[in-house]
Amino acid sequence: IESAHELGRVLRRAVADKGRSDRVLDGVLRTAPRVSNSHERANVLIDAAAQATITGDLRQRYMAATTGLGKHDETRALAALARADGRQ
């Protein structure tokens, strides 16, 4: 996949799959740092937080994927995780 936008779309689609396993989510969160565009990567993380329970190793991967985001996108991604924590 050549562009950050295309990679982000693929990862977001994997997260949205209703039959998605934690293993797939782990793969998405491991791959998310390869999305070079900050906005696109934040969108992947926001979707992951909205669609899945992010705890344990998945939470560590999520936090690692926020490294290098622009300040605005980092705030968006972390706020999505905090909202998800509030729903649990």
Side-chain angles (χ1 to χ4, degrees):
I1 299 175
E2 295 181 21
S3 76
H5 178 72
E6 290 174 11
L7 180 55
R9 282 182 48 209
V10 168
L11 295 177
R12 290 175 76 188
R13 185 166 293 177
V15 166
D17 183 11
K18 297 296 181 198
R20 167 206 22 79
S21 67
D22 281 351
R23 185 172 180 202
V24 169
L25 185 59
D26 182 68
V28 166
L29 294 175
R30 285 177 184 265
T31 305
R34 295 184 196 155
V35 178
S36 58
N37 180 283
S38 183
H39 182 77
E40 291 293 334
R41 187 183 336 159
N43 287 340
V44 170
L45 296 173
I46 290 165
D47 284 2
Q51 300 290 329
T53 302
I54 309 288
T55 59
D57 288 342
L58 293 176
R59 188 178 190 88
Q60 290 177 351
R61 297 206 200 306
Y62 187 102
M63 295 303 293
T66 66
T67 301
L69 289 176
K71 193 66 165 171
H72 175 72
D73 292 317
E74 178 183 35
T75 299
R76 291 174 53 226
L78 295 176
L81 187 58
R83 281 191 301 275
D85 286 348
R87 287 191 304 267
Q88 294 174 10

